[in-house]
Structures are given as structure tokens and as C-alpha cells.
Amino acid sequence: MAESNDRREQRLTKLQRLIDAGVDPYPARVPEVIGAAEALSQFVEDAEEQPTVSVAGRVMSLRVMGKSSFCHIADGSGRIQLYLRRDLLGEDSYNLFRRGVDLGDHVAVRGPLFRTRSGEISIQAEDWTYLSKALRPMPEKWHGLKDVEMRYRQRYLDLIANQETREIFVARTKIVSAVRRYLDEQGFMEVETPVLQPLYGGAAARPFVTHHNTLDRDLYLRIADELYLKRLIVGGFDRVYEIAHNFRNEGIDTQHNPEFTGLELYQAYGDYDTMMRHVEAIYAAVAQSLTGGTVISYGEHEIDLTPPWRRVTMRDAIFEASGLDIAALGEYEALYAAVKAKNVEIEPQPTWGKLVEELFETFVEPSLIQPTFLLDFPIDISPLAKKKPGNERFVERFEFFIAGMESGNAFTELNDPLDQRERFVGQIAAQAKGDDEAHPLDEDFLLAMEHGMPPTGGLGIGIDRMVMLFTNQSSIREVILFPQLRD
């Protein structure tokens, strides 16, 4: 820390010298410039005279000699080398560069392109301008920022120092654009719903609570946008979607951040089979846009996203992995006793459905490497999904898994307002038994449903986990620009 402070003091001294010399180290205007990549593209092989270009960027490397100097500057498009000579710039201008410029400073340069003896296309500076003086040195002299905590806490340094980090977030933008493009082409309308809600709902999660002073009431940061999007289905918008920030007051780990990005879409006159086809098509479209194919690498695995994906019921998946038939063990006590008889360490759960979910996460989830739809969940952990015809212990719900990671959730949406009210009442009972993620009873949503909601399919996809998959990252913090961290 002392060394860093010393270097900052040295740069402050240089800053004052610039000011004393009449140089504005933070000018309000920048000369008209082009990007480094565009400048490089203007070089013409074997031409007698090369074009003159103007560029601006951050000084990334610096080699100062007596009468000439080399440096590289970088902007958002790439980097380019500058060659500065005292006899071309004049002694005052050259000395100002040689004595005043540090790594991390921003400069603008104008001059003709040329190719050096080593073969690198460069700019021979005819004049240059200070744009911004950096008062702190960059990390590790540009050899890469390796400290994970610093990379997350000071993401700007991570982006400056590590090209791989920049590429992740460029890919993230392309992924979201590909998702939007697919949905727009399918006739979905993008909408916006409230972030601050008078009642949270649409997911099994604990909310963040805040207070609005003027209304003198508590409000909740949304845990999901589901119930508002369904109101729009009631209102006559047949295909809607939102790419939204959600907030859940839950733990932080490699797959969870309390603020995250989710896609939710709803289609009137669809069901969970419709949503499976959308999932397959969305992932194939994203893969095609990024790689030109539908096979990607994640960790040590090669993942084939080509439709159709495997489909398996929760009952069959648990039976194949553990020998436990959840349908035959339809009461909590019987199922828990069977689990204990196998000497499996599973904590008691508030409901039968929660115990089934815990069994699945223990026995099955880590093995789902290739894309898999897990179908038909217990009704008591799926209060917004429609019952399966002929088997009312389960609902038409799926989650899908890729590389052992749950990546999305979908229903044939419950559109019977009387059944929905009963489910909400059941959630209140579950909350009384200790389920702190149970849904509250939402009278306004029930009022909307009583005006008639058509048969509907709904889908939620975790955008951050999608980016993890397509950028081959094992931690959600690598794909969120500013993740939440412990002190």
C-alpha cells in the first residue's frame, strides 16, 4: 500500500507540472478520432503514401528512449502502436510526452500509418494531445489482474487488464441480443413490469423489503415478474416477454447472486410442451449466433444443444438414481422413512414436495450433463402450475438442466382462479410449517384471473446461467459485471 501511495504522489507531481506548463490534463473536448481497429484497416500494402489517421486511447505499454519512443494505446476496438520522434513533434511536445505520460493515461495522436521493421502497423505521430492523467498505476504492469477479489470488486481494472473478461461481457451482449431476436421473430412483445411491488410473488424465494415514505407502506423488490406478465395475458397481449432484473434475499455461491437477470415469456394458447420447443430453439439460436453450430464445450464436457432434448419425469429420474418410487411413497412419513432406510443424509423438509425436490437435487441433478427436461413436479411446490390430467399429485411443470446446472423453469400455467386460491391458501399453511419461501396470497392477481385467463404456457430462463454455459464459466460472478460480495 505504501508503494502504491508513493507512485500516486509521483503522478500527482507530474500532474502539477502539466498544469504549470499550461497543459490541461483533463480537456473538455477530444479531437475527432477513429477506432484503433479502423485505423489499422486503412493501411494499404505497397502504397507509396499511407493515410493519416487520428486515434485516442489508454496507454498500455511505453518504451521511452532518447530521441524517439514507442507506445501502444488501446480503445474499445483494439490496440495500435505509436511512434514518436523528437524531430517530428518538436522538442517541447516530445519532452512533454517523454516526461509526463504514464501507463494508464489517455492520449490522442494524429499521423500517417507505416509498418515498422518488425512488421507492425503503427502511427508516426505528427502531434498528440493529453486527454486524461491517471493518478493510480494499473495492476501488475498490464500482465493481467489475477487476484479474484480485486477482479470482482474493481471490475474496471479487470476489464482493463484481462482481455478474457472483456470477451465474456461482449459475448453476454450477443447472447441477450440473440434471445431477443428469436422472441421478436416469434411474435412476442417485450414489456416492462414493476420492480417495486406491493406484494411479491411468482417464485419460491425470500424478498428484499423496502419502505416508501410518501405512501407510508412497505414494498418488495420483485423476486419474479410472472404475476404481472400473466395480468397482461388476461388483458389480451397473447405473447409477452421481459428480460428483467430480479432480487432474492438468498445465499451467495457460484450459481446464485441476490440480483440476477431472468427472461420470462408467456404465450396464450400454449402449454409446457410449447415452452420446451421454445427452450430448444432459443439455445440453438444462441449457439448458432456465437459458434455457427449447436455443439459447445463446457468444462470437460462437450454439450450438444441440437433439438430435441431428452425428457424424463421427476418420478422416473429419482427412481433410476435411487430406487425410490415417490408415487408409491405418497405420504411424507413413508417417503422420509424410505430415505433414512437407505442411510442417506437429507434434512427434514416442511412438505412432501419439498422432500421430493431435495431427493432430486441429491441423487439426480449433478448427473444431468446433456440438455434434459425434468417433467412433472409435485403440486405442493408448484402453486402456479396446472395439474396433470389423471394425476393430481403432480403438475405440468418442467425445469431444464445443462452441465449439471438448473437453467430454467416452465409451466402449463394455472388459469382456474378457484384452484389458484386454494393453492395460495395451501402456501399459507406451508409457511406456517416453516417454509419461508412459500407464496403469499395475492388477491389482486386472483381478481385479474377471475376476468378470464386463456390457457397459457410460461417459461423462465436464467440469463446469467445461460451466459455461464456459453462462455464456459463455473461461477456466476464471472458473468455479472458487478456481483454482490461479502465485506
PDB file of all heavy atoms in Angstrom, residues 96-126:
ATOM      1  N   LEU A  96       7.369  16.721 -23.326  1.00  0.00           N
ATOM      2  CA  LEU A  96       6.141  16.636 -22.532  1.00  0.00           C
ATOM      3  C   LEU A  96       5.647  15.192 -22.501  1.00  0.00           C
ATOM      4  O   LEU A  96       5.253  14.680 -21.441  1.00  0.00           O
ATOM      5  CB  LEU A  96       5.065  17.546 -23.127  1.00  0.00           C
ATOM      6  CG  LEU A  96       3.729  17.592 -22.378  1.00  0.00           C
ATOM      7  CD1 LEU A  96       3.895  18.213 -21.003  1.00  0.00           C
ATOM      8  CD2 LEU A  96       2.690  18.365 -23.189  1.00  0.00           C
ATOM      9  N   PHE A  97       5.717  14.520 -23.638  1.00  0.00           N
ATOM     10  CA  PHE A  97       5.315  13.115 -23.682  1.00  0.00           C
ATOM     11  C   PHE A  97       6.284  12.256 -22.877  1.00  0.00           C
ATOM     12  O   PHE A  97       5.869  11.431 -22.044  1.00  0.00           O
ATOM     13  CB  PHE A  97       5.260  12.634 -25.141  1.00  0.00           C
ATOM     14  CG  PHE A  97       4.785  11.217 -25.280  1.00  0.00           C
ATOM     15  CD1 PHE A  97       3.445  10.931 -25.453  1.00  0.00           C
ATOM     16  CD2 PHE A  97       5.688  10.165 -25.220  1.00  0.00           C
ATOM     17  CE1 PHE A  97       3.004   9.623 -25.565  1.00  0.00           C
ATOM     18  CE2 PHE A  97       5.264   8.850 -25.328  1.00  0.00           C
ATOM     19  CZ  PHE A  97       3.912   8.579 -25.507  1.00  0.00           C
ATOM     20  N   ARG A  98       7.559  12.447 -23.112  1.00  0.00           N
ATOM     21  CA  ARG A  98       8.572  11.583 -22.504  1.00  0.00           C
ATOM     22  C   ARG A  98       8.572  11.702 -20.984  1.00  0.00           C
ATOM     23  O   ARG A  98       8.753  10.704 -20.267  1.00  0.00           O
ATOM     24  CB  ARG A  98       9.948  11.963 -23.062  1.00  0.00           C
ATOM     25  CG  ARG A  98      11.085  11.065 -22.615  1.00  0.00           C
ATOM     26  CD  ARG A  98      12.312  11.304 -23.474  1.00  0.00           C
ATOM     27  NE  ARG A  98      12.861  12.622 -23.302  1.00  0.00           N
ATOM     28  CZ  ARG A  98      13.820  12.934 -22.425  1.00  0.00           C
ATOM     29  NH1 ARG A  98      14.313  12.002 -21.628  1.00  0.00           N
ATOM     30  NH2 ARG A  98      14.283  14.151 -22.343  1.00  0.00           N
ATOM     31  N   ARG A  99       8.348  12.883 -20.461  1.00  0.00           N
ATOM     32  CA  ARG A  99       8.431  13.104 -19.021  1.00  0.00           C
ATOM     33  C   ARG A  99       7.080  13.083 -18.312  1.00  0.00           C
ATOM     34  O   ARG A  99       7.039  12.925 -17.092  1.00  0.00           O
ATOM     35  CB  ARG A  99       9.106  14.455 -18.755  1.00  0.00           C
ATOM     36  CG  ARG A  99      10.552  14.509 -19.236  1.00  0.00           C
ATOM     37  CD  ARG A  99      11.091  15.925 -19.182  1.00  0.00           C
ATOM     38  NE  ARG A  99      12.460  16.008 -19.706  1.00  0.00           N
ATOM     39  CZ  ARG A  99      13.097  17.141 -19.997  1.00  0.00           C
ATOM     40  NH1 ARG A  99      12.461  18.302 -19.788  1.00  0.00           N
ATOM     41  NH2 ARG A  99      14.336  17.117 -20.474  1.00  0.00           N
ATOM     42  N   GLY A 100       5.994  13.224 -19.084  1.00  0.00           N
ATOM     43  CA  GLY A 100       4.695  13.367 -18.430  1.00  0.00           C
ATOM     44  C   GLY A 100       3.767  12.186 -18.535  1.00  0.00           C
ATOM     45  O   GLY A 100       2.905  11.987 -17.680  1.00  0.00           O
ATOM     46  N   VAL A 101       3.927  11.361 -19.578  1.00  0.00           N
ATOM     47  CA  VAL A 101       2.949  10.293 -19.827  1.00  0.00           C
ATOM     48  C   VAL A 101       3.318   9.042 -19.039  1.00  0.00           C
ATOM     49  O   VAL A 101       4.477   8.612 -19.022  1.00  0.00           O
ATOM     50  CB  VAL A 101       2.855   9.981 -21.332  1.00  0.00           C
ATOM     51  CG1 VAL A 101       2.000   8.739 -21.572  1.00  0.00           C
ATOM     52  CG2 VAL A 101       2.278  11.185 -22.083  1.00  0.00           C
ATOM     53  N   ASP A 102       2.308   8.457 -18.390  1.00  0.00           N
ATOM     54  CA  ASP A 102       2.462   7.202 -17.657  1.00  0.00           C
ATOM     55  C   ASP A 102       1.514   6.152 -18.238  1.00  0.00           C
ATOM     56  O   ASP A 102       0.547   6.475 -18.934  1.00  0.00           O
ATOM     57  CB  ASP A 102       2.119   7.403 -16.177  1.00  0.00           C
ATOM     58  CG  ASP A 102       3.140   8.246 -15.445  1.00  0.00           C
ATOM     59  OD1 ASP A 102       4.318   7.856 -15.426  1.00  0.00           O
ATOM     60  OD2 ASP A 102       2.742   9.295 -14.883  1.00  0.00           O
ATOM     61  N   LEU A 103       1.778   4.912 -17.897  1.00  0.00           N
ATOM     62  CA  LEU A 103       0.837   3.847 -18.220  1.00  0.00           C
ATOM     63  C   LEU A 103      -0.523   4.154 -17.601  1.00  0.00           C
ATOM     64  O   LEU A 103      -0.612   4.549 -16.436  1.00  0.00           O
ATOM     65  CB  LEU A 103       1.334   2.501 -17.700  1.00  0.00           C
ATOM     66  CG  LEU A 103       2.607   1.925 -18.328  1.00  0.00           C
ATOM     67  CD1 LEU A 103       2.972   0.611 -17.655  1.00  0.00           C
ATOM     68  CD2 LEU A 103       2.419   1.718 -19.817  1.00  0.00           C
ATOM     69  N   GLY A 104      -1.565   3.986 -18.382  1.00  0.00           N
ATOM     70  CA  GLY A 104      -2.911   4.272 -17.909  1.00  0.00           C
ATOM     71  C   GLY A 104      -3.440   5.616 -18.339  1.00  0.00           C
ATOM     72  O   GLY A 104      -4.654   5.839 -18.299  1.00  0.00           O
ATOM     73  N   ASP A 105      -2.564   6.543 -18.747  1.00  0.00           N
ATOM     74  CA  ASP A 105      -3.025   7.835 -19.242  1.00  0.00           C
ATOM     75  C   ASP A 105      -3.764   7.650 -20.571  1.00  0.00           C
ATOM     76  O   ASP A 105      -3.540   6.679 -21.308  1.00  0.00           O
ATOM     77  CB  ASP A 105      -1.844   8.780 -19.466  1.00  0.00           C
ATOM     78  CG  ASP A 105      -1.169   9.198 -18.169  1.00  0.00           C
ATOM     79  OD1 ASP A 105      -1.671   8.837 -17.093  1.00  0.00           O
ATOM     80  OD2 ASP A 105      -0.139   9.895 -18.244  1.00  0.00           O
ATOM     81  N   HIS A 106      -4.655   8.597 -20.882  1.00  0.00           N
ATOM     82  CA  HIS A 106      -5.321   8.628 -22.180  1.00  0.00           C
ATOM     83  C   HIS A 106      -4.736   9.758 -23.020  1.00  0.00           C
ATOM     84  O   HIS A 106      -4.555  10.884 -22.515  1.00  0.00           O
ATOM     85  CB  HIS A 106      -6.821   8.843 -22.031  1.00  0.00           C
ATOM     86  CG  HIS A 106      -7.552   7.639 -21.531  1.00  0.00           C
ATOM     87  ND1 HIS A 106      -7.625   7.313 -20.196  1.00  0.00           N
ATOM     88  CD2 HIS A 106      -8.246   6.679 -22.194  1.00  0.00           C
ATOM     89  CE1 HIS A 106      -8.337   6.202 -20.055  1.00  0.00           C
ATOM     90  NE2 HIS A 106      -8.721   5.803 -21.251  1.00  0.00           N
ATOM     91  N   VAL A 107      -4.450   9.438 -24.285  1.00  0.00           N
ATOM     92  CA  VAL A 107      -3.906  10.437 -25.206  1.00  0.00           C
ATOM     93  C   VAL A 107      -4.599  10.299 -26.554  1.00  0.00           C
ATOM     94  O   VAL A 107      -5.189   9.253 -26.865  1.00  0.00           O
ATOM     95  CB  VAL A 107      -2.380  10.274 -25.390  1.00  0.00           C
ATOM     96  CG1 VAL A 107      -1.647  10.475 -24.070  1.00  0.00           C
ATOM     97  CG2 VAL A 107      -2.044   8.922 -26.014  1.00  0.00           C
ATOM     98  N   ALA A 108      -4.535  11.350 -27.355  1.00  0.00           N
ATOM     99  CA  ALA A 108      -4.962  11.326 -28.751  1.00  0.00           C
ATOM    100  C   ALA A 108      -3.746  11.631 -29.615  1.00  0.00           C
ATOM    101  O   ALA A 108      -2.903  12.464 -29.249  1.00  0.00           O
ATOM    102  CB  ALA A 108      -6.062  12.345 -29.002  1.00  0.00           C
ATOM    103  N   VAL A 109      -3.655  10.950 -30.747  1.00  0.00           N
ATOM    104  CA  VAL A 109      -2.494  11.090 -31.629  1.00  0.00           C
ATOM    105  C   VAL A 109      -2.971  11.157 -33.073  1.00  0.00           C
ATOM    106  O   VAL A 109      -3.921  10.458 -33.458  1.00  0.00           O
ATOM    107  CB  VAL A 109      -1.519   9.901 -31.455  1.00  0.00           C
ATOM    108  CG1 VAL A 109      -0.380   9.982 -32.461  1.00  0.00           C
ATOM    109  CG2 VAL A 109      -0.960   9.872 -30.045  1.00  0.00           C
ATOM    110  N   ARG A 110      -2.285  11.998 -33.879  1.00  0.00           N
ATOM    111  CA  ARG A 110      -2.556  12.069 -35.317  1.00  0.00           C
ATOM    112  C   ARG A 110      -1.262  11.877 -36.083  1.00  0.00           C
ATOM    113  O   ARG A 110      -0.205  12.398 -35.680  1.00  0.00           O
ATOM    114  CB  ARG A 110      -3.171  13.416 -35.683  1.00  0.00           C
ATOM    115  CG  ARG A 110      -3.568  13.543 -37.170  1.00  0.00           C
ATOM    116  CD  ARG A 110      -4.087  14.936 -37.477  1.00  0.00           C
ATOM    117  NE  ARG A 110      -3.024  15.923 -37.288  1.00  0.00           N
ATOM    118  CZ  ARG A 110      -2.082  16.199 -38.193  1.00  0.00           C
ATOM    119  NH1 ARG A 110      -2.057  15.547 -39.344  1.00  0.00           N
ATOM    120  NH2 ARG A 110      -1.181  17.117 -37.928  1.00  0.00           N
ATOM    121  N   GLY A 111      -1.347  11.101 -37.168  1.00  0.00           N
ATOM    122  CA  GLY A 111      -0.179  10.906 -38.007  1.00  0.00           C
ATOM    123  C   GLY A 111      -0.409   9.835 -39.053  1.00  0.00           C
ATOM    124  O   GLY A 111      -1.416   9.126 -39.037  1.00  0.00           O
ATOM    125  N   PRO A 112       0.536   9.682 -39.997  1.00  0.00           N
ATOM    126  CA  PRO A 112       0.389   8.682 -41.049  1.00  0.00           C
ATOM    127  C   PRO A 112       0.710   7.270 -40.538  1.00  0.00           C
ATOM    128  O   PRO A 112       1.517   7.093 -39.631  1.00  0.00           O
ATOM    129  CB  PRO A 112       1.406   9.125 -42.096  1.00  0.00           C
ATOM    130  CG  PRO A 112       2.456   9.845 -41.312  1.00  0.00           C
ATOM    131  CD  PRO A 112       1.737  10.523 -40.188  1.00  0.00           C
ATOM    132  N   LEU A 113       0.077   6.307 -41.157  1.00  0.00           N
ATOM    133  CA  LEU A 113       0.376   4.917 -40.862  1.00  0.00           C
ATOM    134  C   LEU A 113       1.673   4.496 -41.539  1.00  0.00           C
ATOM    135  O   LEU A 113       2.042   5.031 -42.589  1.00  0.00           O
ATOM    136  CB  LEU A 113      -0.766   4.016 -41.364  1.00  0.00           C
ATOM    137  CG  LEU A 113      -2.131   4.194 -40.690  1.00  0.00           C
ATOM    138  CD1 LEU A 113      -3.205   3.489 -41.495  1.00  0.00           C
ATOM    139  CD2 LEU A 113      -2.107   3.683 -39.262  1.00  0.00           C
ATOM    140  N   PHE A 114       2.370   3.548 -40.937  1.00  0.00           N
ATOM    141  CA  PHE A 114       3.542   2.938 -41.566  1.00  0.00           C
ATOM    142  C   PHE A 114       3.760   1.579 -40.931  1.00  0.00           C
ATOM    143  O   PHE A 114       3.147   1.243 -39.918  1.00  0.00           O
ATOM    144  CB  PHE A 114       4.776   3.836 -41.414  1.00  0.00           C
ATOM    145  CG  PHE A 114       5.401   3.806 -40.044  1.00  0.00           C
ATOM    146  CD1 PHE A 114       6.597   3.126 -39.824  1.00  0.00           C
ATOM    147  CD2 PHE A 114       4.809   4.454 -38.960  1.00  0.00           C
ATOM    148  CE1 PHE A 114       7.187   3.096 -38.572  1.00  0.00           C
ATOM    149  CE2 PHE A 114       5.394   4.427 -37.706  1.00  0.00           C
ATOM    150  CZ  PHE A 114       6.572   3.750 -37.500  1.00  0.00           C
ATOM    151  N   ARG A 115       4.625   0.786 -41.535  1.00  0.00           N
ATOM    152  CA  ARG A 115       4.951  -0.516 -40.978  1.00  0.00           C
ATOM    153  C   ARG A 115       6.388  -0.489 -40.483  1.00  0.00           C
ATOM    154  O   ARG A 115       7.308  -0.091 -41.209  1.00  0.00           O
ATOM    155  CB  ARG A 115       4.776  -1.621 -42.029  1.00  0.00           C
ATOM    156  CG  ARG A 115       4.860  -3.028 -41.434  1.00  0.00           C
ATOM    157  CD  ARG A 115       4.766  -4.107 -42.503  1.00  0.00           C
ATOM    158  NE  ARG A 115       3.454  -4.212 -43.097  1.00  0.00           N
ATOM    159  CZ  ARG A 115       2.430  -4.877 -42.572  1.00  0.00           C
ATOM    160  NH1 ARG A 115       2.573  -5.475 -41.394  1.00  0.00           N
ATOM    161  NH2 ARG A 115       1.271  -4.956 -43.204  1.00  0.00           N
ATOM    162  N   THR A 116       6.576  -0.902 -39.238  1.00  0.00           N
ATOM    163  CA  THR A 116       7.915  -0.888 -38.642  1.00  0.00           C
ATOM    164  C   THR A 116       8.773  -2.009 -39.221  1.00  0.00           C
ATOM    165  O   THR A 116       8.288  -2.893 -39.932  1.00  0.00           O
ATOM    166  CB  THR A 116       7.825  -1.060 -37.120  1.00  0.00           C
ATOM    167  OG1 THR A 116       7.308  -2.364 -36.839  1.00  0.00           O
ATOM    168  CG2 THR A 116       6.919  -0.010 -36.497  1.00  0.00           C
ATOM    169  N   ARG A 117      10.051  -2.000 -38.884  1.00  0.00           N
ATOM    170  CA  ARG A 117      10.945  -3.055 -39.359  1.00  0.00           C
ATOM    171  C   ARG A 117      10.515  -4.430 -38.861  1.00  0.00           C
ATOM    172  O   ARG A 117      10.765  -5.441 -39.518  1.00  0.00           O
ATOM    173  CB  ARG A 117      12.380  -2.763 -38.895  1.00  0.00           C
ATOM    174  CG  ARG A 117      12.997  -1.545 -39.561  1.00  0.00           C
ATOM    175  CD  ARG A 117      14.375  -1.276 -39.004  1.00  0.00           C
ATOM    176  NE  ARG A 117      14.964  -0.066 -39.576  1.00  0.00           N
ATOM    177  CZ  ARG A 117      16.136   0.452 -39.200  1.00  0.00           C
ATOM    178  NH1 ARG A 117      16.809  -0.136 -38.209  1.00  0.00           N
ATOM    179  NH2 ARG A 117      16.596   1.538 -39.768  1.00  0.00           N
ATOM    180  N   SER A 118       9.883  -4.471 -37.681  1.00  0.00           N
ATOM    181  CA  SER A 118       9.400  -5.755 -37.154  1.00  0.00           C
ATOM    182  C   SER A 118       8.077  -6.176 -37.782  1.00  0.00           C
ATOM    183  O   SER A 118       7.565  -7.259 -37.494  1.00  0.00           O
ATOM    184  CB  SER A 118       9.238  -5.674 -35.636  1.00  0.00           C
ATOM    185  OG  SER A 118       8.225  -4.729 -35.297  1.00  0.00           O
ATOM    186  N   GLY A 119       7.503  -5.328 -38.622  1.00  0.00           N
ATOM    187  CA  GLY A 119       6.300  -5.677 -39.352  1.00  0.00           C
ATOM    188  C   GLY A 119       5.005  -5.188 -38.743  1.00  0.00           C
ATOM    189  O   GLY A 119       3.925  -5.514 -39.245  1.00  0.00           O
ATOM    190  N   GLU A 120       5.060  -4.385 -37.678  1.00  0.00           N
ATOM    191  CA  GLU A 120       3.837  -3.941 -37.014  1.00  0.00           C
ATOM    192  C   GLU A 120       3.334  -2.633 -37.602  1.00  0.00           C
ATOM    193  O   GLU A 120       4.094  -1.654 -37.721  1.00  0.00           O
ATOM    194  CB  GLU A 120       4.079  -3.767 -35.514  1.00  0.00           C
ATOM    195  CG  GLU A 120       2.830  -3.402 -34.737  1.00  0.00           C
ATOM    196  CD  GLU A 120       3.039  -3.424 -33.235  1.00  0.00           C
ATOM    197  OE1 GLU A 120       4.151  -3.775 -32.786  1.00  0.00           O
ATOM    198  OE2 GLU A 120       2.081  -3.094 -32.499  1.00  0.00           O
ATOM    199  N   ILE A 121       2.054  -2.608 -37.972  1.00  0.00           N
ATOM    200  CA  ILE A 121       1.443  -1.378 -38.471  1.00  0.00           C
ATOM    201  C   ILE A 121       1.330  -0.390 -37.308  1.00  0.00           C
ATOM    202  O   ILE A 121       0.819  -0.724 -36.235  1.00  0.00           O
ATOM    203  CB  ILE A 121       0.057  -1.663 -39.070  1.00  0.00           C
ATOM    204  CG1 ILE A 121       0.179  -2.631 -40.248  1.00  0.00           C
ATOM    205  CG2 ILE A 121      -0.624  -0.366 -39.505  1.00  0.00           C
ATOM    206  CD1 ILE A 121      -1.162  -3.113 -40.770  1.00  0.00           C
ATOM    207  N   SER A 122       1.815   0.825 -37.529  1.00  0.00           N
ATOM    208  CA  SER A 122       1.913   1.822 -36.458  1.00  0.00           C
ATOM    209  C   SER A 122       1.546   3.194 -36.999  1.00  0.00           C
ATOM    210  O   SER A 122       1.346   3.378 -38.203  1.00  0.00           O
ATOM    211  CB  SER A 122       3.334   1.847 -35.881  1.00  0.00           C
ATOM    212  OG  SER A 122       3.743   0.552 -35.478  1.00  0.00           O
ATOM    213  N   ILE A 123       1.443   4.158 -36.080  1.00  0.00           N
ATOM    214  CA  ILE A 123       1.212   5.555 -36.439  1.00  0.00           C
ATOM    215  C   ILE A 123       2.463   6.350 -36.107  1.00  0.00           C
ATOM    216  O   ILE A 123       2.972   6.265 -34.978  1.00  0.00           O
ATOM    217  CB  ILE A 123       0.012   6.147 -35.673  1.00  0.00           C
ATOM    218  CG1 ILE A 123      -1.272   5.377 -36.005  1.00  0.00           C
ATOM    219  CG2 ILE A 123      -0.151   7.631 -35.989  1.00  0.00           C
ATOM    220  CD1 ILE A 123      -2.469   5.807 -35.166  1.00  0.00           C
ATOM    221  N   GLN A 124       2.951   7.102 -37.080  1.00  0.00           N
ATOM    222  CA  GLN A 124       4.067   8.017 -36.815  1.00  0.00           C
ATOM    223  C   GLN A 124       3.475   9.355 -36.402  1.00  0.00           C
ATOM    224  O   GLN A 124       2.876  10.069 -37.209  1.00  0.00           O
ATOM    225  CB  GLN A 124       4.944   8.184 -38.064  1.00  0.00           C
ATOM    226  CG  GLN A 124       6.158   9.063 -37.817  1.00  0.00           C
ATOM    227  CD  GLN A 124       7.209   8.910 -38.888  1.00  0.00           C
ATOM    228  OE1 GLN A 124       8.003   7.975 -38.879  1.00  0.00           O
ATOM    229  NE2 GLN A 124       7.199   9.822 -39.842  1.00  0.00           N
ATOM    230  N   ALA A 125       3.608   9.680 -35.113  1.00  0.00           N
ATOM    231  CA  ALA A 125       2.888  10.815 -34.549  1.00  0.00           C
ATOM    232  C   ALA A 125       3.407  12.140 -35.107  1.00  0.00           C
ATOM    233  O   ALA A 125       4.611  12.408 -35.088  1.00  0.00           O
ATOM    234  CB  ALA A 125       3.024  10.803 -33.027  1.00  0.00           C
ATOM    235  N   GLU A 126       2.487  12.958 -35.616  1.00  0.00           N
ATOM    236  CA  GLU A 126       2.821  14.323 -36.025  1.00  0.00           C
ATOM    237  C   GLU A 126       2.386  15.320 -34.958  1.00  0.00           C
ATOM    238  O   GLU A 126       2.965  16.415 -34.865  1.00  0.00           O
ATOM    239  CB  GLU A 126       2.137  14.648 -37.349  1.00  0.00           C
ATOM    240  CG  GLU A 126       2.714  13.841 -38.512  1.00  0.00           C
ATOM    241  CD  GLU A 126       2.052  14.173 -39.834  1.00  0.00           C
ATOM    242  OE1 GLU A 126       0.936  14.739 -39.829  1.00  0.00           O
ATOM    243  OE2 GLU A 126       2.662  13.866 -40.876  1.00  0.00           O
TER     244      GLU A 126
END
